[in-house]
Amino acid sequence: MIVKRPVSASLARAFFSIVLLSLLSTGVAIITLASSLRDAEAINIAGSLRMQSYRIGYDLQRTSGDLQSHRQLYQQALNSPVLQTLNRWYVPQEVQQRYGQLHESWREMDNRLSQGDEQWYQQNIQRYVGNIDLFVLALQHYAERKVMLVVIISLLGTAGIFTLVFFTLRRFRQRVVKPLDQLANACQRIQQGQFSLLPLNSKLDNELGLLASTFDRMSSQLFKLYRSLETSVEEKTRDLHEAHRRLEVMYQCSQALNTSQIDALCLRHVLQIVHEHEAACFLELVVDDNWRLQQGEANPALPICRLPVNMQENVLGELRWQSPQQQVSEPLMRNIATILGRGLYINQAQKHYQQLMLMEERTTIARELHDSLAQMLSYLRIQLALLKRAVPDDNAPAHTIIDDFSRGLNNAWQQLRELLTTFRLSLQQSSLPAALREAMDVLQGQTGARLILDCRLPTQALDAQQQMNVLQIVREAVINAIKHAEATEITVSCVTDPDGLHSVYIRDNGKGISSTVEPEGHYGLTIMRERAERLGGKLEIELLPAGGTQVRFRFPVLISDKRQ
């Protein structure tokens, strides 16, 4: 069957006719309105001719010297461009005749004015003004007729558009809507399993006729396929149930990471969900050599399956599992690895954000101290130097007091500089080992002693504040060893003890600390102890039997980092 009259072509012709009629009526109305733009100006100028005529008569009576200029102004108004447009073909004959009569009357009156015939002018001025009134009235009727023309054109255009729309909708209903309703009813019968269709109009010469004939043939084929699909549906149903179960696992894993703060507890929850719903007897998430999460017990007799845990092409760790029956879906485990990678990535991003917030706060405090207390101390040092010069040299008691005050002020200045240096210490690296290595590299340039670092603490187990406290304690201890120990080797070790506590050791082979009591005005050891207490631990300083000093502090791990 060939489509002779497509529905789209019929609708296009109808819409084109509607648009054409709309554009035609609108265009004529716009042109008519455009021609009326200067009607008000023409009526205004025509009305002003009355006043000018009386003014010329007054000038003639008084023998005024302005008569000639007023005649020229009247001539200019009578021949103004807006009145000249009244001579076009579409202007009504009445308006043109009235305008011509004014010109003829004005030529006669102008001749009389040139002769100074005041009596004749006064006798005929009323008749001339009457012609002006008739001309203004003709202009008014002309403007009103144009407005009425716009209204009539708009009404005719609207009526024509509604007529076209009515016949278009009526034809559309007969040739499109009614056949579509028949097809919809036939579809509902097929949906109910009834393949005996209602009679369809396949004689239409548009797409719906072709669709009706095609639908008849399709229904007979559907009946043949219906039975064969039932068995396929049962198989697909089983597959969908399995896919639903896997999607449920993935959804629960995603919800486990849908928290404001992602930590090791969230990642362990993901492993627990997979362990409960899948055939994996052992699951392990390995992030680095120092941090891993396990669920279940490993069986040495079973092979270990591995998948990389990555995010945006960055490998963050490895997911390992064992299955006794090899029934774990590898695509599912690949998606679980992706979820874990996203969790690890967000965890690192959150810690980096915490580090930035911490650094911003510390920088603000350092800036405030520098702009306030440091400025005041500098001012006091200058004033003290001036005071020392002003006191006579033979005044020994005053110089003694000034020297004591100077030492105390210098000590306070030094303590403030160390405090500012501590506040400006930042975590430029995302992991604690990298941050410690960066700090040790900086301190290595300040001493000839050999600095050794062995950090095996899991970064994921520490938040930004804890990392900063550990970094500052280590840095302060190393600086003290550089300044006072006279050591040739300083070792920093960070490990996790078998009892689950994190331990940090700073050892040197120097001369050893003489006393753990700080001199007056020094607060380095006190601040280190306070930082260790803030971590939930305790800082200890002791002499080594082989010589040197050891600074050790231990602090507990986070609850979310404890292994089952």
Side-chain angles (χ1 to χ4, degrees):
M1 181 178 177
I2 300 176
V3 178
K4 297 181 180 179
R5 295 183 180 179
V7 176
S8 58
S10 301
L11 289 176
R13 286 194 296 270
F15 288 150
F16 178 77
S17 301
I18 293 172
V19 172
L20 182 61
L21 180 58
S22 175
L23 292 177
L24 183 62
S25 60
T26 303
V28 173
I30 291 175
I31 293 173
T32 306
L33 288 176
S35 65
S36 303
L37 292 177
R38 304 189 67 181
D39 287 352
E41 181 182 357
I43 294 174
N44 187 28
I45 294 176
S48 68
L49 295 177
R50 289 193 294 261
M51 182 273 295
Q52 296 187 51
S53 300
Y54 287 121
R55 184 176 61 184
I56 291 173
Y58 181 73
D59 292 340
L60 182 62
Q61 183 180 3
R62 294 176 57 251
T63 316
S64 173
D66 296 330
L67 177 62
Q68 186 63 27
S69 62
H70 288 165
R71 287 171 60 191
Q72 293 178 356
L73 290 176
Y74 186 92
Q75 185 69 31
Q76 292 176 0
L78 185 61
N79 295 318
S80 62
V82 67
L83 295 180
Q84 292 295 326
T85 59
L86 300 176
N87 294 322
R88 297 179 180 177
W89 60 271
Y90 53 83
V91 179
Q93 190 68 28
E94 180 186 1
V95 177
Q96 295 184 11
Q97 290 177 357
R98 296 296 182 186
Y99 186 50
Q101 291 175 0
L102 282 181
H103 272 280
E104 294 176 0
S105 300
W106 170 248
R107 282 194 294 270
E108 183 178 1
M109 295 186 71
D110 190 48
N111 291 332
R112 296 289 184 174
L113 289 173
S114 300
Q115 299 172 6
D117 193 348
E118 176 186 354
Q119 182 179 0
W120 184 92
Y121 187 87
Q122 295 295 339
Q123 292 175 354
N124 292 273
I125 185 64
Q126 293 297 332
R127 178 178 57 83
Y128 184 73
V129 171
N131 292 335
I132 294 175
D133 292 338
L134 293 176
F135 175 58
V136 172
L137 183 61
L139 289 177
Q140 178 181 347
H141 290 166
Y142 176 41
E144 291 174 351
R145 281 198 296 270
K146 285 194 286 186
V147 173
M148 290 299 299
L149 180 61
V150 171
V151 174
I152 292 172
I153 292 173
S154 300
L155 292 176
L156 291 177
T158 303
I161 291 173
F162 274 108
T163 302
L164 284 176
V165 170
F166 172 76
F167 283 106
T168 300
L169 291 178
R170 185 172 180 272
R171 184 174 179 81
F172 185 76
R173 178 176 180 81
Q174 293 176 351
R175 300 178 60 83
V176 178
V177 176
K178 186 176 179 180
L180 281 178
D181 290 339
Q182 294 176 353
L183 286 172
N185 293 331
C187 291
Q188 291 178 357
R189 292 176 64 86
I190 290 179
Q191 183 181 7
Q192 297 170 1
Q194 302 176 9
F195 293 92
S196 58
L197 300 179
L198 297 174
L200 300 177
N201 188 1
S202 59
K203 297 181 180 180
L204 293 173
D205 55 358
N206 55 18
E207 292 91 338
L208 293 176
L210 178 60
L211 182 60
S213 61
T214 305
F215 199 90
D216 288 335
R217 295 192 299 270
M218 181 190 67
S219 61
S220 61
Q221 296 178 0
L222 281 176
F223 181 73
K224 299 176 182 179
L225 296 174
Y226 185 76
R227 299 300 176 184
S228 62
L229 286 177
E230 289 182 347
T231 55
S232 299
V233 168
E234 293 178 357
E235 296 177 359
K236 294 297 182 182
T237 301
R238 290 193 295 268
D239 294 339
L240 286 176
H241 281 301
E242 180 64 19
H244 177 267
R245 186 185 63 83
R246 294 173 183 174
L247 286 175
E248 184 67 23
V249 173
M250 292 179 57
Y251 174 76
Q252 293 183 14
C253 293
S254 298
Q255 289 298 107
L257 298 182
N258 190 18
T259 59
S260 59
Q261 183 69 31
I262 296 179
D263 52 14
L265 183 60
C266 299
L267 300 176
R268 184 181 298 280
H269 190 197
V270 173
L271 298 181
Q272 291 175 352
I273 293 172
V274 178
H275 184 264
E276 292 174 0
H277 292 82
E278 291 297 320
C281 61
F282 171 73
L283 289 164
E284 183 179 37
L285 173 62
V286 180
V287 179
D288 52 36
D289 295 336
N290 303 320
W291 194 70
R292 60 186 63 196
L293 295 174
Q294 296 179 0
Q295 187 67 34
E297 296 294 334
N299 188 350
L302 295 177
I304 297 179
C305 301
R306 306 169 186 267
L307 278 176
V309 176
N310 49 32
M311 182 67 181
Q312 297 179 352
E313 299 182 357
N314 295 325
V315 179
L316 304 177
E318 187 178 60
L319 177 62
R320 305 171 183 174
W321 74 92
Q322 288 180 332
S323 177
Q325 302 175 357
Q326 299 293 331
Q327 294 180 352
V328 177
S329 173
E330 185 171 348
L332 174 62
M333 298 305 294
R334 191 177 294 111
N335 291 327
I336 296 300
T338 302
I339 293 174
L340 291 172
R342 184 187 64 179
L344 290 173
Y345 181 82
I346 295 176
N347 176 263
Q348 293 179 1
Q350 288 174 343
K351 289 188 177 180
H352 184 62
Y353 176 75
Q354 293 174 357
Q355 292 171 2
L356 292 178
M357 295 297 294
L358 183 61
M359 291 305 100
E360 182 179 357
E361 179 182 0
R362 296 171 64 84
T363 302
T364 302
I365 296 176
R367 184 169 56 251
E368 294 297 330
L369 287 176
H370 180 271
D371 294 342
S372 58
L373 188 57
Q375 299 286 349
M376 182 58 66
L377 290 178
S378 298
Y379 173 76
L380 291 177
R381 293 177 67 187
I382 295 173
Q383 294 298 320
L384 185 62
L386 295 177
L387 178 62
K388 186 175 182 180
R389 293 181 182 178
V391 174
D393 295 338
D394 57 352
N395 193 345
H399 277 285
T400 301
I401 295 173
I402 292 174
D403 291 340
D404 292 340
F405 187 67
S406 178
R407 283 192 297 272
L409 188 60
N410 289 333
N411 191 16
W413 172 257
Q414 183 64 27
Q415 294 295 327
L416 180 60
R417 288 181 60 86
E418 292 180 0
L419 183 61
L420 291 177
T421 302
T422 301
F423 271 121
R424 287 171 177 150
L425 181 62
S426 62
L427 279 171
Q428 301 295 334
Q429 302 295 334
S430 59
S431 65
L432 179 60
L436 286 173
R437 171 54 58 191
E438 183 178 0
M440 296 290 283
D441 291 340
V442 174
L443 294 176
Q444 183 65 71
Q446 303 176 11
T447 180
R450 180 187 176 193
L451 302 183
I452 302 173
L453 174 64
D454 178 22
C455 182
R456 285 174 284 172
L457 290 181
T459 303
Q460 289 77 8
L462 304 176
D463 59 22
Q465 187 68 43
Q466 291 174 320
Q467 293 184 44
M468 177 56 67
N469 286 327
V470 172
L471 178 62
Q472 289 178 330
I473 292 175
V474 171
R475 182 178 179 276
E476 184 67 25
V478 173
I479 290 176
N480 288 339
I482 292 174
K483 288 183 178 179
H484 309 295
E486 300 178 4
T488 60
E489 183 176 284
I490 302 173
T491 303
V492 177
S493 299
C494 306
V495 297
T496 301
D497 296 333
D499 58 1
L501 296 179
H502 295 318
S503 298
V504 178
Y505 302 89
I506 301 96
R507 304 184 183 92
D508 65 74
N509 60 354
K511 62 182 182 180
I513 188 171
S514 59
S515 173
T516 59
V517 179
E518 282 191 295
E520 184 178 356
H522 293 267
Y523 307 99
L525 296 180
T526 302
I527 294 176
M528 290 169 61
R529 290 190 177 94
E530 290 178 353
R531 293 189 183 279
E533 293 175 357
R534 201 174 301 159
L535 290 170
K538 182 179 180 182
L539 186 132
E540 299 176 352
I541 304 175
E542 58 185 359
L543 293 174
L544 297 175
T549 305
Q550 173 178 278
V551 177
R552 182 185 71 172
F553 69 96
R554 306 180 72 203
F555 59 96
V557 299
L558 296 176
I559 297 178
S560 59
D561 186 45
K562 293 181 180 179
R563 301 178 183 176
Q564 293 182 350

